């Protein structure tokens, strides 16, 4: 699950050619071979052998509500925890690098493997629980019997006063660390993990999955393109698959909002964004056949809503927006362009989630206008470091304090600086677009032929990665595959949801079970039931509850939408169908 800790790090001498080839090689015969006999947890450190891999710790973890000294929200199963490092080396920046990982192997194993793709700039080995990536998950892959692997994607986040807020991005000074972060680490980890599973259980996994949200969703989409042989099912939530381009939007937004007020949070106080959200609902709520506080007919909404109708005819009041505010929002939602008018990323849809007001990680306001660090937007104080160190080639270092990071984005040039996401330089042989995005993203022929399945879900009010960009990718995928993309890949819009969670939405859902059913039982996901977190998510209205039960809705595969059947409880998913 995307935790506040790893969400906060969003953007956000290398190996020789032989070693790099080993990182991205397809599964070997060793990976597929069954071990002669199971190896007990305590013996793994001495019995497991894999090229470039060093086991650093092994521990038998008992079942319970406390795991490694940390309280858990639900009982965890007994398992073997294995920690290690792959491809240890010294980078061109003189710092030590390795692909750090941990794997948790449950005593009661289901025969399944999950690579847990983490969010943000990685850099920390998150606990390998395989949390179901949506708000308020009540289960995880480890509890369901999966062997789960988590990694730092090939670098360690630095911290301390000397580095400030860019400690998660300094790895961008090393070319190989960039490649590991982009794709190479997962290419090395998946075969090693399967070999480790075979060593412990005496047999290789029957099915293999990857799941993540945000940058973790990007990892999953990259895997569909680069590592079709490694995985049977991939789940990509709110995927930043065009992350370098989306990072250009960070600078675009900062400049647009600062033009209204240098104090960015004051450019649009919460009441003003609520005014926008309320107007969206006024024009769009009933377009799907039911006024229920949710916009399901998103395409029709884009035609029905006109921001200019909110512009004040005179002085600014609580019932209207000033002309500079309207201009800024129009610019932000249209997306970045250079001086020639060339599109640099994507446009964005109008949706009710733009009024989400909490300033914790996840919400529209926190990312765009007012976050938990110095009251500044996350795209500025954390995204600025990613823009400078990870996505610019060569890297363009910036100090790790909020004023310097905001200034770097205010000074960003959409002709010269934006071009650096496509550039190579010296030891940096691949541009950020090359190492971060899926090659030929619309052509997943190899993944399809192998029988792989892909589920992508995306909040329509995501403030970090545009839902429109993901929708456009899916339409291109469908065209490339002759209108048959739905046979192996499905996109589920989540109305009102912000970045992986939050917003006026039904955000509690389990895509992992839907994926397993599709891969192992051939049951195509025609809908996934999602529930609102009433009383927990402050952006969920109090009346989204009936007879003590919170609102539920079917999430529908694009281009279908949830439509009211005309009778029944409006807070019950059973009263809706995907049409």
């Amino acid at each position: 699950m995307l935790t506040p800790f790893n969400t906060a790090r969003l953007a956000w001498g290398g190996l020789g050619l032989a070693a790099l080839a080993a990182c991205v090689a397809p599964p070997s015969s060793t990976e597929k071979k069954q071990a002669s006999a199971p190896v007990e947890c305590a013996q793994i450190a001495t019995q497991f052998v894999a090229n470039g891999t060093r086991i650093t710790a092994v521990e038998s973890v008992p079942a319970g509500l406390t795991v490694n000294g940390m309280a858990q929200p639900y009982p965890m199963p007994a398992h073997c925890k294995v920690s290690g490092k792959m491809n240890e080396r010294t980078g061109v920046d003189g710092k030590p690098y390795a692909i750090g990982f941990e794997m948790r192997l449950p005593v009661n194993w289901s025969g399944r493997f999950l690579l847990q793709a983490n969010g943000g700039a990685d850099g920390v080995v998150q606990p390998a629980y395989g949390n179901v990536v949506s708000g308020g998950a009540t289960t995880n892959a480890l509890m369901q019997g999966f062997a789960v692997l988590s990694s730092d994607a090939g670098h360690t986040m630095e911290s301390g006063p000397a580095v400030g807020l860019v400690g998660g991005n300094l790895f961008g000074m090393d070319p190989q660390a960039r490649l590991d972060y982009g794709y190479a680490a997962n290419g090395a980890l998946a075969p090693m993990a399967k070999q480790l599973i075979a060593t412990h259980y005496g047999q290789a996994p029957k099915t293999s999955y990857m799941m993540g949200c945000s940058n973790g969703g990007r990892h999953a989409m990259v895997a569909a393109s680069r590592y079709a042989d490694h995985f049977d099912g991939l789940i990509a939530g709110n995927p930043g698959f065009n992350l370098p381009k989306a990072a250009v939007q960070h600078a675009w937004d900062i400049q647009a909002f600062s033009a209204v007020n240098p104090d960015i949070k004051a450019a649009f106080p919460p009441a003003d964004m609520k005014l926008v959200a309320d107007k969206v609902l006024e024009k769009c709520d009933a377009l799907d056949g039911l006024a229920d506080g949710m916009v399901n007919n998103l395409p029709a909404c884009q035609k029905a809503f006109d921001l200019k109708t909110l512009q004040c005819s005179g002085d600014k009041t609580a019932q209207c927006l000033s002309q500079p505010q309207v201009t800024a929002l129009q610019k932000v939602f249209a997306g970045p362009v250079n001086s020639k008018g060339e599109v640099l990323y994507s446009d964005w849809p109008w949706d009710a989630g733009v009024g989400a007001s909490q300033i914790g990680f996840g919400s529209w306001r926190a990312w765009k206008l007012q976050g938990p660090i110095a009251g500044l937007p996350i795209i500025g104080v954390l995204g600025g470091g990613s823009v400078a160190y990870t996505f610019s080639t060569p890297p363009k270092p910036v100090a790790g304090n909020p004023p310097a990071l905001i200034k770097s984005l205010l000074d960003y040039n959409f002709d010269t600086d934006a071009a650096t996401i496509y550039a190579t330089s010296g030891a940096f042989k691949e541009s950020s677009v090359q190492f971060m995005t899926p090659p030929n993203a619309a052509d997943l022929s190899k993944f399809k032929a192998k029988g792989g399945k892909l589920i992508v879900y995306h909040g329509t009010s995501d403030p970090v990665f545009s839902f429109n960009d993901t929708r456009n990718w899916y339409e291109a995928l469908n065209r490339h595959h002759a209108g048959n993309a739905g046979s192996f890949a499905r996109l589920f819009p989540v109305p009102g949801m912000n970045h992986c969670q939050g917003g006026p939405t039904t955000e509690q859902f389990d895509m992992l079970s839907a994926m397993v059913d599709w891969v192992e039982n051939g049951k195509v996901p025609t809908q996934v039931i999602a529930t609102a977190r009433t009383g927990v998510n402050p952006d969920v209205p109090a009346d989204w509850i009936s007879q003590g039960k919170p609102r539920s809705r079917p999430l529908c595969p694009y281009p279908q939408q949830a439509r009211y059947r005309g009778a029944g409880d409006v807070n019950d998913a059973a009263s809706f169908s995907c049409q």
Side-chain angles (χ1 to χ4, degrees):
M1 183 178 176
L2 196 68
T3 65
F5 181 62
N6 64 39
T7 306
R9 300 190 311 281
L10 176 80
W12 101 144
L15 292 173
L17 290 178
L20 178 56
C23 284
V24 297
S28 66
S29 58
T30 304
E31 172 192 329
K32 299 175 182 177
K33 192 184 300 180
Q34 290 192 355
S36 57
V39 172
E40 294 295 328
C41 183
Q43 304 304 315
I44 288 177
T46 57
Q47 296 297 310
F48 177 66
V49 178
N51 289 339
T53 304
R54 179 170 63 92
I55 302 300
T56 58
V58 176
E59 176 187 0
S60 291
V61 181
L65 282 167
T66 301
V67 178
N68 300 128
M70 297 293 292
Q72 302 299 317
Y74 25 68
M76 302 290 275
H79 61 275
C80 177
K81 176 188 174 186
V82 181
S83 302
K85 296 180 180 294
M86 293 190 73
N87 302 338
E88 295 175 271
R89 61 187 179 82
T90 300
V92 299
D93 53 3
K95 297 177 181 178
Y97 285 93
I99 304 171
F101 68 88
E102 80 166 39
M103 191 156 200
R104 295 184 186 252
L105 304 150
V107 171
N108 296 317
W109 182 48
S110 66
R112 302 182 181 112
F113 160 57
L114 175 77
L115 196 159
Q116 171 184 309
N118 296 312
D122 286 298
V124 175
V125 180
Q126 301 289 343
Y129 300 146
N131 286 325
V132 178
V133 281
S134 66
T138 57
T139 185
N140 59 40
L142 186 65
M143 292 170 65
Q144 296 175 17
F146 286 74
V148 184
L149 179 134
S150 171
S151 87
D152 60 11
H155 62 273
T156 300
M157 178 181 180
E158 300 182 40
S159 62
V163 298
L165 296 172
V166 297
N169 310 114
L170 296 179
F171 74 92
M173 300 299 291
D174 180 73
Q176 182 59 44
R178 286 183 169 205
L179 302 188
D180 284 340
Y181 174 61
Y183 63 88
N186 287 332
L189 286 163
M192 181 279 297
K194 295 179 186 181
Q195 188 178 341
L196 179 56
I197 288 170
T199 297
H200 181 52
Y201 294 113
Q203 59 180 323
K206 296 175 183 177
T207 47
S208 299
Y209 302 87
M210 181 192 288
M211 177 174 65
C213 198
S214 188
N215 179 54
R218 181 197 66 83
H219 279 306
M221 287 187 65
V222 168
S225 183
R226 288 186 180 270
Y227 302 124
D229 290 338
H230 289 340
F231 301 99
D232 301 294
L234 297 162
I235 301 171
N238 289 56
F241 68 98
N242 271 327
L243 218 165
K245 296 180 184 179
V248 174
Q249 175 94 32
H250 296 346
W252 186 257
D253 291 349
I254 293 297
Q255 292 184 22
F257 292 139
S258 294
V260 178
N261 193 319
D263 180 4
I264 297 172
K265 65 180 180 295
F268 288 88
D272 284 352
M273 289 311 302
K274 184 179 185 302
L275 179 68
V276 176
D278 288 346
K279 192 67 173 181
V280 169
L281 284 176
E282 178 188 318
K283 294 295 184 180
C284 304
D285 192 354
L287 295 175
D288 54 16
L290 178 70
D292 60 351
M294 302 181 76
V295 178
N296 281 291
N297 194 342
L298 201 66
C301 181
Q302 308 317 299
K303 299 175 182 178
F305 175 73
D306 183 0
L307 183 68
K308 288 184 179 179
T309 62
L310 280 174
Q311 184 169 319
C312 303
S313 57
D315 293 338
K316 170 76 173 77
T317 71
Q319 286 72 47
C320 62
L321 299 177
S322 69
Q323 183 274 323
Q325 286 181 309
V326 170
T327 298
L329 276 184
Q330 287 178 322
K331 183 176 181 180
V332 165
F333 276 78
V337 295
N338 61 19
S339 63
K340 297 179 181 179
E342 296 169 332
V343 174
L344 301 178
Y345 175 46
S346 173
D347 61 352
W348 303 69
W350 296 104
D351 188 30
V354 299
S357 61
Q358 57 181 310
I359 61 171
F361 293 106
S363 81
W364 199 94
R365 183 167 192 82
W367 281 96
K368 294 285 197 186
L369 292 164
Q370 181 183 10
I373 301 175
L376 292 167
I378 299 171
I379 59 169
V381 293
L382 293 173
S386 293
V387 171
Y389 284 96
T390 312
F391 306 134
S392 298
T393 304
K396 190 177 180 181
V398 61
N401 60 78
L405 288 161
I406 295 296
K407 186 177 186 304
S408 73
L409 297 179
L410 289 173
D411 293 342
Y412 195 86
N413 185 293
F414 296 99
D415 291 328
T416 57
D417 292 329
T420 66
I421 68 174
Y422 298 97
T424 59
S425 177
F428 298 93
K429 304 296 184 184
E430 295 185 31
S431 71
S432 65
V433 168
Q434 288 175 303
F435 68 74
M436 289 296 289
T437 66
N440 303 315
D443 182 1
L444 297 181
S445 301
K446 187 176 180 181
F447 187 65
K448 178 185 177 184
K450 182 250 189 195
K453 301 294 185 283
L454 171 64
I455 288 178
V456 178
Y457 67 87
H458 202 145
T460 54
S461 290
D462 187 344
V464 189
F465 305 127
S466 171
F467 169 78
N468 286 355
D469 192 38
T470 300
R471 178 207 62 201
N472 292 343
W473 159 79
Y474 188 78
E475 291 180 345
L477 180 78
N478 199 42
R479 288 193 298 271
H480 184 86
H481 291 276
N484 195 35
S487 65
F488 72 97
R490 298 210 157 196
L491 167 63
F492 289 86
V494 186
M497 190 172 80
N498 288 178
H499 189 55
C500 296
Q501 59 185 0
T505 184
T506 51
E507 62 182 333
Q508 194 172 47
F509 49 84
D510 180 4
M511 290 291 176
L512 183 57
S513 294
M515 174 58 78
V516 169
D517 225 11
W518 195 7
V519 168
E520 300 179 19
N521 302 317
K523 184 178 179 181
V524 180
T526 55
Q527 65 175 24
V528 174
I529 301 302
T531 305
R533 293 197 294 158
T534 53
V536 177
N537 177 349
D539 292 310
V540 170
D543 61 353
W544 283 19
I545 191 167
S546 295
Q547 299 178 355
K549 294 182 179 180
R551 169 175 291 187
S552 59
R553 286 287 186 274
L555 301 181
C556 301
Y558 179 85
Q560 295 183 33
Q561 305 164 5
R563 295 297 183 98
Y564 186 53
R565 296 179 185 274
D569 186 351
V570 297
N571 285 325
D572 189 345
S575 304
F576 295 78
S577 63
C578 293
Q579 302 177 21

